[in-house]
Amino acid sequence: MGRQFPFRHYLLAVSLLFPGGVLGQATRLIANTSARQTVNLDGQWQAIVDPYDVGFLDYRARPLTNNNAFFKNYKPQSPSELVEYDFDTSGHLYVPGDWNTQRDSLFFYEGSVWYKRSFDYVKSPKERAFVHFGAANYKAFVYLNGEEIGRHEGGFTPFDFEITNQVRAKDNFLVVRVDDTRRSDQVPTVNTDWWNYGGITRPVSLVILPESFIQDYSIQLKKGSTEQITGWVQLNGLPLQQSVAIRIPEAGIEKTFKTDSRGHAEFSFNANLQLWSPESPKLYAVEIAGETDKVTDRIGFRSIAVQGTDILLNGKPVFLRGISLHEEAPTRPGRAWSEDDARTLLGWAKELGCNFVRLAHYPYDEAMLRMADQLGVLVWEEVPVYWMIEWENPQTLNNAETQLKEMISRDHNRASVIIYSVGNETPISEPRNRFIRQLIDDAHSADATRLVSAALQPTGAMQGDRTTLQINDPLGEAVDILGTNEYIGWYTGRPEDTDRTDWTSPFNKPLIMSEFGADALFGYHGASQTRWTEEYQENLYEHQIAMLKRIPFLRGMSPWVLKDFRSPRRTLPRFEDYFNRKGLVSDHGERKKAFLVLQKFYHDVQVQPPK
Ligand code: GCB
């Protein structure tokens, strides 16, 4: 087992400030930072690649605190002094960005890289300053002017640290050690089917706020209602007791509430709103104004629920025409993060006829969720509880819970987000059931308005030449929507086997077929029985769709996957070359034949919903 990650300063601080128990009180992040006064810290950062962690530990593996620690950015004071590191001559990496695709020598690199950049900021006396990271994969150790200001674990969620008392007018130096070593006790664990892109993969900024500011808020339709808004506001900093107004000018709404001694207010009021939907993704400008701070968001209002085997969006049954994604850039190698990346990827999904995407297998950049809100695409979000997690390790559970709460904390006002997924293809056992049940409870209590799912696996039984696949995972009891992955015709049997496969479920719940698919190399053609051809993938989609149409409780699907993506597990030369080729679109953006099969099905489904 790897080194333990000792603590997370800011979580500790947050839990002291805000003892738990308040509805929606997940891990407290600063909400909606892009609508705040910020100083952008993106760009070229100096970088030292440190595979042996010599900037962090001495040769007896004790943490360094002297000038040998890279975060000191120490310079020799005389020609005779020995200093064995130098940010100024070690080269640069661009932030945001993974390191793997920026330097050939880092393509397969997993370990530590130290980042450094300088900045000036003249802070006025009544301001507070925070440094905010969209994400860094996997662990981040953050230092300002030679002192540690915080640590974060988890490669896909945001974090922020207050630097009000440390920041100076000139020559601040911010140093971040990012370590993406895979370890068995982490989330995800050592084994995945995606590239372990390391680095500061999302934007970094200074966020400038008043002494007492609006930290977070939830403004959503009440569960089960399309006319009543409920929510809460949380302030941070004195004075905590303030009058707070919620304004939605376009809907003629202005309501005022008082926060309590903990800076918290809960509210509920009626509203006559045009509802958000994929067909009409209406967003309202919503203003939250305290006495010392004001922030504006763009929020859509919609209801989501299940009723028997139906999924109801705004009270009406909906079929989720989806596709699974990985967060890889559409037109260049590496991690996606920008608004343009999001627009292109979701644009391809819409061209396919989708009203739904599964953002597998970890939380994506906030830009993706905001773009989904804008374009009208329903979203399944997921935490990287993938395959073989250490189910019996309480620290691993705590880590998974924190990542889940951070994701919910960031996205709980996004209309597009309808499903939180708490796991993918995890093998059934008592410890695993307990672990995931805990995550399901956490998701429900952090946000009662969304549905919770997980991508499970069916078990099969043969009778004559027919197979019956049953969804009998005990977690089926606990989730709101069943998700199931199956690879009939690729990992098991032939595509034609789907013609003789039936599905049953003991749960009176909707099913999303969260994965199926086949690899195909774009431009490689041949018989439909020949692996890696576009024709094989096309034929598999045709047979799969015919089978899916026969599942009476199917209410959505997200085949695997929109675009070819990098994976170290995929070593076969010519066909894989370290790519998983199950994309309907190649890594260069070319559409494969199966794209058209799914597009046609989604078109037909819109005309005549399956029943
Ligand atoms: C799965 C996993 C997904 C893989 C996919 C595959 O079941 O959920 O992460 O990439 O299969 O291609 O094997």
Side-chain angles (χ1 to χ4, degrees), residues 193-194 326 358 361 386-387 424-425 457 485 487 490-491 515 519 560 565 570 580 582:
D193 187 23
W194 68 82
H326 258 294
R358 173 181 177 214
H361 287 296
Y386 184 91
W387 291 353
N424 181 75
E425 293 185 356
Q457 289 168 297
N485 297 352
Y487 279 91
W490 187 254
Y491 294 123
E515 285 181 32
D519 288 69
W560 196 252
F565 61 94
R570 309 294 173 175
N580 182 313
K582 294 189 188 71

Side-chain angles (χ1 to χ4, degrees), residues 110 182-194 196 361 384-389 424-425 567-569:
E110 296 179 298
R182 287 172 293 124
R183 298 179 205 276
S184 58
D185 62 338
Q186 294 183 166
V187 182
T189 180
V190 286
N191 200 12
T192 69
D193 187 23
W194 68 82
N196 184 24
H361 287 296
V385 175
Y386 184 91
W387 291 353
M388 299 291 289
I389 296 289
N424 181 75
E425 293 185 356
S567 168
R569 300 174 62 83

Side-chain angles (χ1 to χ4, degrees), residues 148-289:
E148 180 170 338
I149 54 170
R151 301 178 176 195
H152 181 264
E153 178 165 7
F156 303 98
T157 42
F159 50 99
D160 50 64
F161 303 118
E162 182 156 18
I163 55 168
T164 304
N165 298 327
Q166 291 92 339
V167 71
R168 48 200 196 205
K170 279 209 86 54
D171 299 330
N172 294 282
F173 61 98
L174 184 61
V175 173
V176 187
R177 170 177 168 248
V178 182
D179 179 3
D180 79 338
T181 307
R182 287 172 293 124
R183 298 179 205 276
S184 58
D185 62 338
Q186 294 183 166
V187 182
T189 180
V190 286
N191 200 12
T192 69
D193 187 23
W194 68 82
W195 209 263
N196 184 24
Y197 290 112
I200 305 179
T201 48
R202 295 187 188 155
V204 185
S205 56
L206 281 191
V207 183
I208 309 301
L209 294 161
E211 275 181 313
S212 175
F213 67 89
I214 297 159
Q215 174 137 27
D216 195 7
Y217 46 85
S218 167
I219 302 171
Q220 295 282 288
L221 285 175
K222 185 176 174 193
K223 192 172 176 60
S225 165
T226 49
E227 281 138 28
Q228 201 183 351
I229 290 179
T230 55
W232 49 264
V233 175
Q234 180 66 54
L235 306 183
N236 179 321
L238 298 174
L240 286 169
Q241 276 175 294
Q242 296 192 21
S243 137
V244 178
I246 311 290
R247 297 189 195 106
I248 311 177
E250 205 187 325
I253 290 170
E254 164 145 16
K255 304 278 173 192
T256 305
F257 307 91
K258 290 239 178 293
T259 51
D260 63 18
S261 59
R262 296 188 309 161
H264 192 78
E266 295 194 9
F267 49 78
S268 178
F269 51 84
N270 286 335
N272 183 8
L273 298 159
Q274 186 188 326
L275 298 177
W276 183 100
S277 69
E279 296 72 38
S280 161
K282 169 72 188 163
L283 298 177
Y284 286 91
V286 178
E287 193 179 296
I288 306 104

Side-chain angles (χ1 to χ4, degrees), residues 320 356 380 419 481-484 510-514 554 556-558:
L320 302 177
F356 172 64
W380 156 316
I419 296 169
I481 294 191
L482 304 164
T484 294
L511 170 69
I512 295 175
M513 198 60 81
S514 37
L554 186 80
M557 52 199 263
S558 51

Side-chain angles (χ1 to χ4, degrees), residues 530-592:
T530 304
R531 296 268 174 171
W532 313 106
T533 61
E534 287 193 39
E535 286 71 17
Y536 190 108
Q537 189 189 42
E538 177 187 38
N539 181 50
L540 179 134
Y541 268 71
E542 279 164 358
H543 284 273
Q544 281 276 351
I545 287 168
M547 177 189 74
L548 296 176
K549 284 183 180 166
R550 292 187 282 105
I551 306 177
F553 45 94
L554 186 80
R555 292 296 177 274
M557 52 199 263
S558 51
W560 196 252
V561 60
L562 181 63
K563 191 188 81 96
D564 291 354
F565 61 94
R566 284 204 183 274
S567 168
R569 300 174 62 83
R570 309 294 173 175
T571 61
L572 183 67
R574 177 172 180 203
F575 297 119
E576 296 187 315
D577 295 316
Y578 297 102
F579 276 98
N580 182 313
R581 296 284 184 199
K582 294 189 188 71
L584 295 178
V585 173
S586 77
D587 55 308
H588 295 292
E590 299 119 331
R591 274 95 181 119
K592 302 178 194 173

Side-chain angles (χ1 to χ4, degrees), residues 71-86:
F71 58 85
K72 295 288 182 192
N73 186 34
Y74 185 73
K75 301 285 172 200
Q77 305 297 301
S78 72
S80 66
E81 190 176 1
L82 175 65
V83 178
E84 280 192 280
Y85 68 100
D86 184 4

Side-chain angles (χ1 to χ4, degrees), residues 88-164:
D88 294 340
T89 52
S90 291
H92 291 86
L93 286 170
Y94 194 82
V95 173
D98 60 88
W99 62 56
N100 313 74
T101 57
Q102 295 192 49
R103 270 192 213 171
D104 288 347
S105 62
L106 297 181
F107 186 61
F108 283 107
Y109 180 73
E110 296 179 298
S112 293
V113 171
W114 293 81
Y115 288 77
K116 176 190 157 271
R117 72 158 287 163
S118 303
F119 65 92
D120 300 333
Y121 186 71
V122 182
K123 191 179 73 63
S124 66
K126 291 210 174 275
E127 278 175 355
R128 293 170 69 183
F130 295 80
V131 55
H132 178 271
F133 293 81
N137 188 36
Y138 169 83
K139 287 177 182 171
F141 302 70
V142 185
Y143 308 85
L144 182 67
N145 301 332
E147 299 298 328
E148 180 170 338
I149 54 170
R151 301 178 176 195
H152 181 264
E153 178 165 7
F156 303 98
T157 42
F159 50 99
D160 50 64
F161 303 118
E162 182 156 18
I163 55 168
T164 304

